[in-house]
C-alpha cells in the first residue's frame, strides 16, 4: 500500500482545504510530521484512517463521529471532506468521505441534516480517467478491507505505529499481550473453536448425564421390584461417571437370577402346600365321619343299656298282661257272656264308625292301623324341616324381588348414564372450544395490550414531534443567526485587534518620556515617535469589541444548546413515533383499543368456562364411576340370582315332596295329624272289636272250665287278674314300643361301619379342622408368594430390557462425550496430553509472537549496536497464559532478563523494533500486501544522540524495501536530522499544513 495524495477540507482542526503530496514526501524515504502540541499532527493520521475505514482510530472513534468530525473553524457552508489517493494491491484508488453535518437551509432560516457520503473510484491507465466503483459505505469498506487484508485495528497497529502501545506490550504480562495479538491476528476463530468444543463437551455431558439419570431411574425401579436381598449391592455412581451402564446391567442380571431362584422356591413351596392342604382336607372329612358314627354308636349303646336295665319290668308287663287275659276268660258265665256281647256290639259300631272315616283302610287289621298311625305321627315330626324350608322359600321370593328392583334401578341408571356419556364428547368439545376461544382472547388481549401501549406512546410522540418540529426550526434559525452574529462579532474584534497591533507603535509612543528608556528597544532618545493615524483603535475599543464578541458567542452557545435540546427531544419523539402519519397512528390506536376491549371482554369468560369444564370433567368421572359400579353390581347380582334360584328350586322340589299334594306344609301337617288320630281310633276300635268278639266266642266255650283252663285256682284269682281296657292298652303299648325299640337297636348295632367306628379310638375333628385351616393359610400364602415372585420377575425382565436399551443408547453418547471431552481438554490446555498446558488460541498467538520476536530481533540488534536480542519463551508466568512470554538477551552479560529491566530509551527502540517486526508479520499474514508508507508516533525524545542515529539508520534502511516512513514527533533535534518535513501550524482560524525539503 502506498499513499499518493491526501486532501482535507474542514476536518478536525483544519478549517480550510489542505492537500498533502505523499509522493513528494516519500521521495526521501524518511520524513518528519511535526508541530506544536494540539496543532493536529494526529489528525492527519486520523484523516487517513477515516478515509480508509470510515471511523477514527482507537478511543477517538466514539468521541468524534458524524457531525463531530467537522472543524469548528470551517466556514458556515463548508462541508467536511477527506479524499485519499492510494495504490493497494496494484490498483490505484481514490476514496472520498464526507461525514454527516448540519448545513444551513438553502431557503429560509435553520439547518438540515445531510447524511454521510462515500465515493470510491479507480484509475484506469488504459483510458487515463477515473472510473466510479461504489457510493455505498458498506461496499467501500468491504473493498478496502479485502484489498488491504487488514482490519482497522490491524492497520492502526501496523501502518500507524503507536509507540506507547508497544512499550506497554513489551512490558505487559501474557494476558495483555494475548489481548493485543488477538486483535491484530484475529484469533477469535481459534477462541471460538475452544468455546465451541467446550459447548459441545457440556452438551455431550448433559446428554450423557440425562441418559445416566434415566438409567439410574430404571435402576431405582428395579431395586423397588427386586427388593434389597439380591446378594450384590446396587451401584451408587452419580450421573456422568464412567462404568455406570455396565454396573447397572450387571446388577440387573444378578437380580434377575435371584428372582428366578426365588420363584422356583415359591413354586415348590406352593406344590407342597397344595399337597398338604389336600391331605388335611381328606383327614378332616374322615375325622368328621368317624366322629358322627362314634356318637351314633354311643347313643345306640346307651339305648341298649337302658333296655337291658328295664328287662325285668318288661317281663312283669308281659306276665301281667297274660294273667289279665286269663282272668277275662274266667268271668262268670253270664256276666261274661252279657258283658262280652254288649262290649262286642259297642266295639263293632265304634269300629264301623272309625273305618267309615278311612275308606282306604277299611279292611286293614288293628295292627296295620296302629302301624299306619305311628307312621303318620312320625311324618308329622319330619315336617318341621319342611316348615323351615317353606319359610326360606318365601324369603327367597322376596330377595329375588329385591334383586329385580335393584336390576331395574341399575338398568335405568345405565341407560341415563349411557345417554349422558354419549353426549360427553360433544359437550366437552364445546366447552374446550369455549375455553380455547377465551384463552386465545386472553392471549390476544395481552398481545393487544402490549401493542396498545406503544401505539399510544407513538401517537403521543408523533403529536409531540409535530409540535417540536416548529420549535426546532425556530431554534435552528436562532442558532444560525446567533452563529452568524457571533462570527461577525469575532471578525470585528479580530479586525480591531489586528488594526491596533498594526498601529501599536503610536500607542506605545504616547507613553514615551524623554530620558526614560523605551519599553521596546530600551533607548532613552526618541527622535521620531509614531503618531496616531486616522482610524486608530485603542485598548478600550478592542476590549469593548471583545466583550461584544464574548456576549455574542455566549448567545451562540446558548442558542446551540437550546437547538441541541430541541433536536434531542425531536429525535427521541421521531424515533418513538416511527412514522409521520398522525392520522394513521390515531386510527391504529382506536382500532387497537376497540380490539383490546373486545378481546378482554371475551377473555373475562375464561374463568367461568374453566369452572364449567372442571365441573363437567368431575361429572364425567362420577358418571363413569357410577357406570362401573352398576356393572359390578349387575355381575354380582347375576351370581346372587343364580344362587337364589338354585336354592329356591331345591327348596321347591323338597316342599313338593313334603306337601304331598296339599296346598302347604301346615295343611299337610294338619291332614297327617287328623289321619293319625283317625288311624289310632280305628286301630283301637278294631282291636276292641276283635277282643270283644274273641271274648264273646270264648265265653260260650269256656264258661264252665274257664277258670281251670285259665290256671286260676279260684275265681277270685281270676277276678283279681281282670284288667279294664285302658290298662290292657297301656300294657300292650308299652310292650309293643319295647319290642320295636329293641329291633331298631339290634339292627343299627349290626351295621359294619357303626361297629367299626365303635371299636376305633375316639375321633378328634377339632384337631383335624385346625390342621385344615392351617393348610389353607399356608396354601394362600404360598400362592401369593408364587404370584408375587412371578409378577416381580416379569416386571424386572421388562425393566431390564428397558435398562439394556438405555445402555445401548448411552454407548454412542458416552463415546461421543469421550471424544469431544478429549478434544476440548486439548484445546483448553487442561489435558495431560497437552504438555505445555496451552490453550489453542494461546498456541496460535505464541507462534505469531515467535515470528514477531524473530522479525523484531533483526532491527533491535542494529538499533542496540548488537547488544540486545528479543527471544520468545513458552514458560508460564504465575497464573497467566503460557507461550506468550518475551525476554531480552543481553550480549554483554550473556544472560536473559525481563523486558521490564530495559531503560526508557532501550524500551523505545525495543518497542520500535517490535512494532516494525509486527508490521512485517501482519503484512505477511495479510497475504503479502506491501506497506510502502508507515507512520511512527512519538518516543524519540528518550534516545541519546548515538542511539537516535542508529534508530534513524534502521528506519532509513526501510527504503531498501521501497518504503517511506513518516515520523510523528515534536523533538527539535529531529528537525535538524530529517530534512523532509510536513509541518502543522496552528492558528486562530484553524491549523494549516506546510511542507519543507521536498524541492517543490
Amino acid at each position: 500500500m502506498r499513499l499518493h495524495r491526501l486532501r482535507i477540507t474542514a476536518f478536525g482542526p483544519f478549517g480550510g482545504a489542505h492537500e498533502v503530496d505523499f509522493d513528494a514526501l516519500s521521495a526521501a524515504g524518511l520524513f518528519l510530521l511535526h508541530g506544536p502540541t494540539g496543532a493536529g499532527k494526529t489528525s492527519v493520521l486520523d484523516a487517513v484512517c477515516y478515509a480508509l475505514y470510515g471511523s477514527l482510530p482507537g478511543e477517538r472513534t466514539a468521541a468524534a463521529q458524524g457531525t463531530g468530525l467537522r472543524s469548528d473553524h470551517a466556514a458556515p457552508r463548508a462541508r467536511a471532506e477527506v479524499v485519499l489517493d492510494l495504490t493497494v494491491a496494484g490498483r490505484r484508488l481514490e476514496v472520498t468521505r464526507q461525514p454527516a453535518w448540519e448545513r444551513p437551509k438553502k431557503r429560509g432560516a435553520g439547518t438540515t441534516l445531510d447524511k454521510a457520503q462515500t465515493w470510491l473510484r479507480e484509475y484506469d491507465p488504459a483510458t487515463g480517467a477515473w472510473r466510479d466503483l461504489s457510493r455505498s459505505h458498506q461496499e467501500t469498506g468491504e473493498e478496502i478491507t479485502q484489498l488491504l487484508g487488514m482490519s482497522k485495528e490491524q492497520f492502526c497497529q501496523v501502518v500507524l505505529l503507536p509507540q506507547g502501545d508497544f512499550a506497554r506490550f513489551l512490558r505487559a504480562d501474557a494476558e495483555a499481550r494475548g489481548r493485543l495479538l488477538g486483535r491484530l491476528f484475529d484469533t477469535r476463530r481459534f477462541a471460538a473453536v475452544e468455546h465451541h468444543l467446550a459447548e459441545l463437551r457440556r452438551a455431550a455431558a448433559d446428554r450423557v448425564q440425562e441418559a445416566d439419570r434415566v438409567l439410574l431411574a430404571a435402576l431405582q425401579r428395579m431395586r423397588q421390584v427386586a427388593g434389597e436381598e439380591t446378594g450384590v449391592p446396587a451401584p451408587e455412581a452419580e450421573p456422568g461417571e464412567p462404568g455406570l451402564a455396565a454396573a447397572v446391567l450387571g446388577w440387573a442380571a444378578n437380580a434377575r437370577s435371584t428372582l428366578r431362584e426365588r420363584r422356583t422356591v415359591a413354586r415348590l413351596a406352593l406344590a407342597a402346600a397344595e399337597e398338604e392342604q389336600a391331605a388335611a382336607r381328606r383327614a378332616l372329612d374322615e375325622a368328621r365321619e368317624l366322629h358322627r358314627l362314634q356318637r351314633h354308636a354311643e347313643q345306640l349303646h346307651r339305648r341298649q343299656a337302658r333296655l337291658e336295665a328295664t328287662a325285668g319290668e318288661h317281663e312283669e308287663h308281659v306276665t301281667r298282661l297274660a294273667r289279665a287275659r286269663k282272668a277275662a276268660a274266667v268271668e262268670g258265665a253270664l256276666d261274661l257272656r252279657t258283658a262280652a256281647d254288649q262290649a262286642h256290639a259297642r266295639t263293632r259300631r265304634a269300629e264301623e264308625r272309625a273305618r267309615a272315616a278311612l275308606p282306604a283302610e277299611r279292611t286293614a287289621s288293628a295292627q296295620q292301623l296302629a302301624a299306619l298311625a305311628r307312621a303318620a305321627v312320625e311324618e308329622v315330626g319330619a315336617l318341621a324341616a319342611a316348615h323351615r324350608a317353606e319359610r326360606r322359600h318365601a324369603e327367597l321370593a322376596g330377595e329375588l324381588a329385591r334383586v329385580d328392583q335393584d336390576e331395574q334401578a341399575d338398568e335405568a341408571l345405565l341407560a341415563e348414564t349411557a345417554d349422558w356419556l354419549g353426549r360427553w364428547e360433544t359437550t366437552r368439545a364445546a366447552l374446550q372450544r369455549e375455553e380455547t376461544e377465551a384463552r386465545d382472547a386472553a392471549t390476544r388481549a395481552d398481545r393487544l395490550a402490549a401493542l396498545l401501549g406503544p401505539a399510544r406512546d407513538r401517537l403521543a410522540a408523533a403529536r409531540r414531534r409535530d409540535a417540536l418540529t416548529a420549535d426546532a426550526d425556530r431554534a435552528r434559525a436562532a442558532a444560525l443567526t446567533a452563529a452568524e452574529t457571533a462570527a461577525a462579532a469575532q471578525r470585528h474584534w479580530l479586525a480591531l485587534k489586528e488594526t491596533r497591533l498594526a498601529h501599536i507603535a503610536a500607542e506605545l509612543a504616547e507613553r514615551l518620556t524623554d530620558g526614560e528608556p523605551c519599553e521596546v528597544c530600551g533607548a532613552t532618545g526618541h527622535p521620531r515617535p509614531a503618531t496616531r493615524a486616522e482610524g486608530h483603535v485603542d485598548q478600550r475599543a478592542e476590549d469593548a469589541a471583545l466583550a461584544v464578541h464574548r456576549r455574542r458567542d455566549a448567545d451562540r452557545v446558548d442558542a446551540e444548546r437550546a437547538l441541541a435540546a430541541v433536536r434531542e427531544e425531536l429525535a427521541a419523539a421521531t424515533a418513538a413515533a416511527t412514522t409521520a402519519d398522525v392520522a394513521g397512528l390515531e386510527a391504529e390506536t382506536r382500532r387497537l383499543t376497540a380490539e383490546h376491549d373486545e378481546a378482554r371482554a371475551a377473555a373475562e369468560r375464561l374463568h367461568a368456562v374453566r369452572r364449567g369444564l372442571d365441573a363437567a370433567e368431575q361429572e364425567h368421572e362420577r358418571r363413569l364411576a357410577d357406570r362401573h359400579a352398576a356393572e359390578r353390581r349387575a355381575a354380582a347380582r347375576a351370581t346372587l340370582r343364580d344362587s337364589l334360584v338354585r336354592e329356591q328350586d331345591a327348596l321347591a322340589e323338597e316342599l313338593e315332596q313334603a306337601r304331598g299334594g296339599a296346598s302347604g306344609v301346615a295343611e299337610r301337617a294338619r291332614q297327617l295329624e287328623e289321619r293319625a288320630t283317625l288311624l289310632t281310633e280305628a286301630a283301637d276300635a278294631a282291636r276292641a272289636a276283635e277282643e270283644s268278639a274273641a271274648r264273646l266266642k270264648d265265653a260260650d266255650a269256656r264258661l264252665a272250665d274257664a277258670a281251670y283252663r285259665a290256671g286260676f285256682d279260684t275265681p277270685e284269682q281270676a277276678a283279681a287278674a281282670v284288667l279294664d281296657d285302658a290298662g290292657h292298652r297301656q300294657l300292650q303299648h308299652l310292650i309293643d314300643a319295647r319290642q320295636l325299640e329293641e329291633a331298631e337297636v339290634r339292627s343299627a348295632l349290626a351295621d359294619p361301619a357303626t361297629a367299626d367306628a365303635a371299636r376305633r379310638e375316639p375321633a378328634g375333628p377339632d384337631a383335624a379342622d385346625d390342621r385344615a385351616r392351617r393348610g389353607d393359610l399356608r396354601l394362600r400364602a404360598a400362592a401369593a408368594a408364587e404370584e408375587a415372585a412371578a409378577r416381580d420377575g416379569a416386571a424386572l425382565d421388562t425393566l431390564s430390557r428397558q435398562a439394556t436399551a438405555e445402555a445401548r443408547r448411552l454407548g454412542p453418547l458416552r463415546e461421543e462425550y469421550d471424544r469431544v471431552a478429549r478434544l476440548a481438554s486439548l484445546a483448553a490446555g487442561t489435558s495431560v496430553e497437552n504438555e505445555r498446558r496451552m490453550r489453542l488460541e494461546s498456541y496460535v498467538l505464541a507462534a505469531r509472537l515467535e515470528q514477531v520476536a524473530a522479525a523484531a530481533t533483526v532491527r533491535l540488534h542494529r538499533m542496540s549496536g548488537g547488544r540486545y536480542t528479543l527471544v520468545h519463551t513458552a514458560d508460564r508466568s504465575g497464573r497467566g497464559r503460557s507461550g506468550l512470554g518475551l525476554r531480552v538477551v543481553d550480549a554483554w552479560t550473556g544472560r536473559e532478563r525481563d523486558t521490564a529491566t530495559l531503560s526508557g530509551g532501550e524500551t523505545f527502540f525495543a518497542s520500535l523494533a517490535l512494532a516494525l517486526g509486527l508490521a512485517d508479520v501482519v503484512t505477511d499474514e495479510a497475504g503479502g500486501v506491501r506497506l510502502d508508507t508507515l507512520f511512527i508516533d512519538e518516543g524519540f525524545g528518550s534516545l541519546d544522540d548515538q542511539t537516535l542515529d542508529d534508530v534513524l539508520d534502521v528506519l532509513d534502511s526501510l527504503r531498501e524495501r521501497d518504503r517511506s516512513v513518516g515520523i510523528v514527533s515534536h523533538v527539535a533535534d529531529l528537525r535538524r536530522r530529517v530534512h523532509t518535513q510536513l509541518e502543522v501550524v496552528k492558528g486562530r482560524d484553524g491549523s494549516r499544513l506546510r511542507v519543507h525539503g521536498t524541492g517543490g
Side-chain angles (χ1 to χ4, degrees), residues 29-86:
L30 192 67
F31 65 90
L32 177 67
L33 174 60
H34 69 93
T37 301
K41 300 186 295 297
T42 304
S43 295
V44 176
L45 307 183
D46 289 347
V48 174
C49 183
Y50 178 74
L52 292 174
Y53 295 98
S55 60
L56 302 186
E59 298 176 354
R60 298 189 297 279
T61 300
Q65 286 294 345
T67 57
L69 296 176
R70 184 175 180 274
S71 175
D72 293 336
H73 302 285
R77 297 188 178 276
R79 179 165 187 172
E81 182 182 71
V82 176
V83 181
L84 179 63
D85 180 5
L86 74 160

Side-chain angles (χ1 to χ4, degrees), residues 42 70 81 93 241 335 407 409 423 589 651 697 705 807 932-933:
T42 304
R70 184 175 180 274
E81 182 182 71
L93 301 176
E241 294 185 12
D335 293 337
E407 183 177 13
R423 300 190 307 272
T589 303
L651 291 175
K697 183 178 180 180
D705 59 348
D932 298 321
T933 305

Side-chain angles (χ1 to χ4, degrees), residues 616-697:
E617 291 285 355
Q618 293 173 2
E619 178 66 15
H620 177 252
E621 294 297 329
R622 186 186 68 77
R623 295 279 183 168
L624 288 178
D626 291 344
R627 185 178 67 183
H628 293 162
E631 290 173 350
R632 289 194 300 271
R633 287 196 302 272
R637 192 162 48 244
T639 303
L640 176 61
R641 177 185 283 106
D642 292 341
S643 176
L644 294 176
V645 169
R646 285 195 300 271
E647 185 179 359
Q648 190 180 44
D649 292 341
L651 291 175
E653 184 178 355
E654 180 181 349
L655 288 174
E656 185 66 25
Q657 295 175 358
R659 289 186 186 121
S663 60
V665 176
E667 178 64 22
R668 178 62 176 166
R670 187 186 61 75
Q671 291 175 357
L672 289 175
E673 288 175 353
E674 290 178 356
R675 178 176 172 77
T677 302
L678 293 174
L679 287 172
T680 301
E681 292 176 353
D684 292 342
R687 280 194 299 270
E690 292 173 355
E691 291 173 356
S692 63
R695 284 193 299 270
L696 180 59
K697 183 178 180 180

